[in-house]
Amino acid sequence: MHISLRSGEKIYINGAVLRADRKVSIEILNDATFLMETHVMNVDEATTPLRQLYFIIQIMLMNPTDTDAAIEMFQSAVVKTIDVLDEPVLVAGLYTIKNLVETNRIFDALKATRSLFPVEASIISGVSPVQAA
């Protein structure tokens, strides 16, 4: 896999934080867990239930050797979120995300969570997800 980084850009690989001092392309030759800086959410951006789940999953991805507390937080948060939702698209998505985390497909869980942000935003704004589509 080829990855291009701009000068000063960070990438998180298997828990390590790397910063490019100039524009660079790297090739990852083996199976590695990584997250580009552009997809990293700051704690102050975790303002909705799905964004909070995203932040927790992100912690698992960024620090893969110490995930026990994050997994416990995720399990509690995802169950509570599912229990209060009545939007079928979100509930189905959360079950998918829960399954991805349980099968250690953390990056896929992160992507699946991000894909639900527009549905959550439409609900918060009072627009039905069916109307928003």
Side-chain angles (χ1 to χ4, degrees):
M1 168 173 278
H2 288 278
I3 298 172
S4 295
L5 300 172
R6 296 180 305 264
S7 177
E9 189 174 15
K10 294 178 194 169
I11 185 170
Y12 302 80
I13 303 176
N14 290 348
V17 182
L18 308 171
R19 181 182 319 190
D21 64 350
R22 61 185 151 268
K23 185 176 177 179
V24 64
S25 291
I26 60 173
E27 183 177 7
I28 298 178
L29 300 174
N30 63 345
D31 193 22
T33 304
F34 70 93
L35 187 62
M36 301 295 292
E37 181 177 19
T38 56
H39 289 124
V40 173
M41 180 182 290
N42 293 319
V43 69
D44 60 328
E45 297 172 292
T47 57
T48 67
L50 280 182
R51 289 179 176 276
Q52 291 167 0
L53 285 174
Y54 183 94
F55 188 79
I56 295 167
I57 297 166
Q58 171 185 287
I59 291 169
M60 290 182 230
L61 191 69
M62 293 171 75
N63 192 5
T65 59
D66 185 24
T67 61
D68 292 343
I71 289 171
E72 284 182 34
M73 273 192 339
F74 171 81
Q75 292 294 349
S76 174
V78 77
V79 168
K80 288 177 184 174
T81 304
I82 289 169
D83 285 347
V84 298
L85 288 175
D86 59 0
E87 172 53 49
V89 173
L90 283 180
V91 172
L94 287 170
Y95 276 113
T96 298
I97 293 163
K98 185 176 183 295
N99 183 52
L100 290 168
V101 168
E102 288 170 350
T103 57
N104 202 33
R105 295 178 52 203
I106 306 302
F107 185 76
D108 292 331
L110 206 60
K111 288 191 325 186
T113 306
R114 183 179 284 279
S115 75
L116 293 175
F117 287 173
V119 177
E120 181 185 49
S122 69
I123 292 168
I124 290 171
S125 69
V127 177
S128 167
V130 175
Q131 293 172 335

